[in-house]
Amino acid sequence: MSELCKDISVSFAAATLLSERDWLILTHQYPDGDTLGSAYALCRALQRTGRKARVICADPIPEKYAYLTSAAQADEVSEAHIVAVDVADSKLLGAEFNAVYGKRIDLCIDHHHSNTRYASRLLLQDCSAAAMPVSKVIAAMGVSLDPVIAEALYTAISTDTGCFKYSNTTAETHRLAAELMELGVCADRINREMFDIKSRARLELERLALAAMQFHFHDRLAIMPITAEMIRRAGVVENDMEGLAPIPRQVEGVWVGIMLRETADGGFKVSFRTGNHADASDIAARLGGGGHAAAAGCHINKPLEETLRLLVDAVAAAVPSITE
Amino acid sequence: MSELCKDISVSFAAATLLSERDWLILTHQYPDGDTLGSAYALCRALQRTGRKARVICADPIPEKYAYLTSAAQADEVSEAHIVAVDVADSKLLGAEFNAVYGKRIDLCIDHHHSNTRYASRLLLQDCSAAAMPVSKVIAAMGVSLDPVIAEALYTAISTDTGCFKYSNTTAETHRLAAELMELGVCADRINREMFDIKSRARLELERLALAAMQFHFHDRLAIMPITAEMIRRAGVVENDMEGLAPIPRQVEGVWVGIMLRETADGGFKVSFRTGNHADASDIAARLGGGGHAAAAGCHINKPLEETLRLLVDAVAAAVPSITE
């Protein structure tokens, strides 16, 4: 397939989905509300048109999303037709899934401008959540929203916008939320589950991480390291680790907030969060990563002290005014 | 004026406002985003129709709302015509303002069903924020929204709904938010300021308080004590102390969350938060306090250890099933 026709429209994506009898729907690893909500909404919509569909994920789905999985029906599918949602890079499927499915994904619906264009067809919209283009594709498929689709889409847009708080929230996001709430979505229950409830282990990890937070450049740069030792001491599981990345930038006066987390290989997964003063993707790009202007990430395979030094240097280089 | 014509419509409220040349606009004491946002939006709208208007508040306006006050123009007004917004009871104007203005308020625009009907005319709508009826009155006055009005209204609805998270959020709330965002409201900046930003001292206090949190009854009761010593060590000021009370109940599995804070007299101000399993006002009542089903409070004038024991006993007595 030529590069020229890789980028497709909403109606082409809808037609592509309707042109086959069954679809395997892939989410990214370490699944979040957007990839899951988008996937389950699309699954339900396909089933409503008489297609067979099934959502799979390389990782276990966190308990707090149980209302999405329990409302879903997993059909037997041929695995001949594959769509990925909210997956910017086939590597993010997880190594095993990438090996099996990575090179034969027919369609990707995404919202990351860093999308690596691994799928045969790509519907890419630069908006708050993958659920935004997914909702348009569902409409273009001629499927009206029902409460199950609405809860899935609401979960996706609410989680990816920090409950309509982040700069990726637009008038369009709020209009979709309004439409979904009219279908009876229990928004306050979902949001409490997504944003408020924390395990005791998570609280302990936050306590340790806050104590380890370090500041640079007149306190405009805050770095919160989470080491394997902290993870062990707090007793957190993977599910407890979501939503830590915004914490450093929540400190008054901080331009650039960085959270780094030690990974199994001894390196660090790094998350950058910035406001108007700095571009997170610029900083991440200097370290081989990428992302959006306000949120980006990279991986650094060095010991902690060296990683911290690399981060401070990259911020200084990408945001010269922070050092003034 | 007869009781029969006290409750008025949006268009009557608009006509009332347009019928006079100048208006004094009152907010409630301890001002929040809704009373301030509603007041400044209405002030600007009145000025746009050629009226004179001025917002006043019994208390200093917190620094984080500076963008509202700095965008506003305070006209000289006669104080002959007075409108109160988001003020459920004239007592909430503050004692001094109540004495001066309490009995001569021409119009109240509010959303609290507990409104004591102190004003001559009352526009009361049971919705997420006073800014909802205020936005309708502005439209009925024939004033189109501008960016200044939009930021004020957005501040009001976002703060009163916990950034669209609480159960008072409706499709209508999201539709108004969409309209306001199209006028260029910097929602992420406002929300960051209102919900995310914490001083370093506040972070330190949270860290100390989390470390001191204790659990009882199979971890269904969480108590977070904040002592004078912690406040001193963290170096927090009064503004840093907002929004601590919900923290204990945000721990997974907690039915009753209690925050206690040492006061100048050596006693403790106690805040209870509960979900469906327990009634906060029942617990508070056993200790001489009161409140609502989900949030209540009391004051205990005992040393810490004795206070903690009294609290645990009161919870066991008020919520027998918590001990099972």
Side-chain angles (χ1 to χ4, degrees):
Chain A
M1 193 172 301
S2 95
E3 270 292 312
L4 281 173
C5 60
K6 185 183 278 278
D7 288 294
I8 61 170
S9 65
V10 166
S11 55
F12 195 107
T16 303
L17 287 163
L18 291 175
S19 70
E20 304 296 346
R21 282 169 173 268
D22 66 7
W23 284 94
L24 185 66
I25 303 171
L26 302 184
T27 66
H28 61 69
Q29 64 185 351
Y30 309 122
D32 62 9
D34 190 21
T35 200
L36 293 172
S38 295
Y40 282 105
L42 187 60
C43 182
R44 170 83 164 198
L46 282 164
Q47 289 166 342
R48 293 259 313 279
T49 70
R51 272 72 183 168
K52 296 210 177 289
R54 173 187 204 97
V55 175
I56 62 169
C57 178
D59 288 313
I61 293 173
E63 180 59 27
K64 67 178 176 178
Y65 300 110
Y67 64 98
L68 294 180
T69 54
S70 67
Q73 172 193 326
D75 298 325
E76 290 298 316
V77 295
S78 66
E79 304 206 347
H81 313 289
I82 305 177
V83 52
V85 287
D86 194 41
V87 181
D89 185 325
S90 66
K91 285 180 195 157
L92 300 175
L93 295 169
E96 205 174 313
F97 274 33
N98 189 23
V100 180
Y101 304 113
K103 293 202 190 318
R104 54 191 192 88
I105 295 171
D106 301 282
L107 172 63
C108 171
I109 305 177
D110 192 21
H111 69 125
H112 298 92
H113 66 74
S114 59
N115 189 290
T116 59
R117 307 176 63 79
Y118 58 87
S120 303
R121 308 279 190 181
L122 173 63
L123 171 60
L124 181 65
Q125 295 192 336
D126 188 14
C127 55
S128 49
M132 302 295 294
V134 166
S135 73
K136 291 176 197 161
V137 168
I138 290 172
M141 281 163 58
V143 177
S144 59
L145 299 181
D146 64 22
V148 171
I149 297 175
E151 285 223 327
L153 291 176
Y154 183 89
T155 302
I157 64 170
S158 173
T159 52
D160 247 32
T161 59
C163 206
F164 310 97
K165 194 159 65 179
Y166 303 154
S167 59
N168 60 359
T169 309
T170 63
E172 194 186 12
T173 323
H174 278 294
R175 289 230 164 75
L176 180 56
E179 199 183 331
L180 300 175
M181 289 197 71
E182 275 167 350
L183 288 158
V185 169
C186 288
D188 60 320
R189 182 185 54 69
I190 293 174
N191 289 328
R192 181 171 148 80
E193 193 71 42
M194 297 299 147
F195 298 106
D196 290 345
I197 299 290
K198 296 174 182 178
S199 70
R200 280 182 70 177
R202 161 62 178 255
L203 276 186
E204 176 61 12
L205 182 68
E206 283 191 18
R207 201 177 66 73
L208 295 171
L210 288 180
M213 185 137 65
Q214 51 171 258
F215 293 86
H216 302 266
F217 306 133
H218 319 287
D219 301 348
R220 291 171 181 161
L221 168 61
I223 308 183
M224 185 174 77
I226 295 179
T227 62
E229 167 63 14
M230 288 181 196
I231 292 171
R232 192 195 58 71
R233 268 182 65 193
V236 286
V237 293
E238 189 53 45
N239 294 348
D240 292 320
M241 303 287 293
E242 257 181 46
L244 289 162
I247 293 175
R249 203 176 79 83
Q250 288 169 1
V251 181
E252 201 169 23
V254 168
W255 295 10
V256 178
I258 303 180
M259 189 271 278
L260 55 162
R261 174 186 163 185
E262 196 165 357
T263 53
D265 60 10
F268 289 89
K269 181 177 180 287
V270 184
S271 301
F272 303 91
R273 293 288 186 278
T274 56
N276 295 331
H277 294 293
D279 186 314
S281 65
D282 273 2
I283 308 169
R286 286 168 191 271
L287 297 160
H292 306 280
C298 72
H299 195 280
I300 300 181
N301 224 328
K302 305 273 185 193
L304 180 59
E305 287 311 313
E306 196 175 342
T307 299
L308 290 169
R309 205 158 45 238
L310 286 171
L311 288 170
V312 172
D313 290 348
V315 169
V319 193
S321 56
I322 204 171
T323 66
E324 285 162 16
Chain B
M1 193 171 298
S2 96
E3 269 294 310
L4 281 173
C5 60
K6 186 184 279 278
D7 288 293
I8 61 170
S9 64
V10 165
S11 54
F12 195 107
T16 303
L17 288 163
L18 291 176
S19 70
E20 305 297 345
R21 282 168 173 270
D22 67 5
W23 285 94
L24 185 67
I25 303 171
L26 302 183
T27 67
H28 62 69
Q29 63 184 351
Y30 310 123
D32 63 9
D34 192 20
T35 200
L36 292 173
S38 295
Y40 283 104
L42 188 59
C43 182
R44 169 84 166 196
L46 282 165
Q47 289 166 343
R48 293 260 313 280
T49 69
R51 272 71 185 169
K52 298 212 174 288
R54 172 188 205 94
V55 176
I56 61 169
C57 178
D59 288 314
I61 293 172
E63 179 58 28
K64 67 179 176 179
Y65 299 110
Y67 63 97
L68 294 180
T69 54
S70 67
Q73 171 193 327
D75 298 325
E76 290 297 317
V77 296
S78 67
E79 303 207 347
H81 313 289
I82 305 177
V83 51
V85 286
D86 195 41
V87 181
D89 186 325
S90 66
K91 285 181 196 157
L92 300 175
L93 295 170
E96 204 175 315
F97 275 33
N98 189 22
V100 179
Y101 305 112
K103 293 204 192 317
R104 54 191 192 90
I105 295 171
D106 300 282
L107 173 62
C108 172
I109 306 177
D110 192 22
H111 70 124
H112 297 94
H113 66 76
S114 60
N115 189 291
T116 58
R117 307 175 64 78
Y118 58 87
S120 302
R121 307 279 188 181
L122 174 63
L123 171 59
L124 181 65
Q125 295 193 336
D126 188 14
C127 55
S128 48
M132 303 295 293
V134 166
S135 73
K136 290 176 198 161
V137 169
I138 290 172
M141 281 162 60
V143 176
S144 60
L145 299 181
D146 65 22
V148 172
I149 297 175
E151 285 223 327
L153 292 175
Y154 184 90
T155 301
I157 64 170
S158 173
T159 52
D160 247 32
T161 59
C163 205
F164 311 96
K165 194 159 68 179
Y166 303 154
S167 59
N168 61 358
T169 309
T170 63
E172 194 186 12
T173 323
H174 278 294
R175 289 229 164 76
L176 179 56
E179 201 184 328
L180 300 174
M181 290 197 71
E182 274 166 351
L183 288 157
V185 169
C186 288
D188 62 316
R189 183 185 53 70
I190 294 173
N191 289 326
R192 184 170 142 78
E193 194 70 43
M194 298 299 147
F195 299 106
D196 288 346
I197 297 292
K198 295 174 183 179
S199 69
R200 282 180 69 175
R202 162 63 178 253
L203 275 186
E204 178 59 14
L205 181 69
E206 283 189 20
R207 201 177 66 74
L208 295 171
L210 289 179
M213 186 138 64
Q214 52 171 257
F215 293 86
H216 302 267
F217 306 133
H218 319 289
D219 302 346
R220 290 170 181 159
L221 168 61
I223 308 183
M224 185 173 78
I226 295 180
T227 62
E229 167 63 14
M230 288 180 196
I231 291 170
R232 193 194 58 72
R233 269 183 65 192
V236 286
V237 293
E238 191 53 43
N239 288 352
D240 291 321
M241 302 287 292
E242 256 179 48
L244 288 162
I247 293 176
R249 203 177 79 85
Q250 288 170 1
V251 181
E252 198 170 24
V254 167
W255 294 10
V256 178
I258 303 180
M259 188 271 277
L260 54 161
R261 176 186 164 184
E262 197 166 356
T263 54
D265 60 8
F268 289 89
K269 182 176 179 290
V270 184
S271 301
F272 302 91
R273 292 288 187 277
T274 56
N276 296 330
H277 293 294
D279 187 314
S281 64
D282 274 1
I283 308 169
R286 285 169 191 270
L287 296 161
H292 305 280
C298 71
H299 195 280
I300 300 181
N301 224 327
K302 305 276 184 190
L304 180 59
E305 286 311 313
E306 196 176 342
T307 299
L308 290 169
R309 206 160 42 239
L310 286 171
L311 288 169
V312 172
D313 290 349
V315 169
V319 194
S321 56
I322 204 171
T323 65
E324 283 162 16

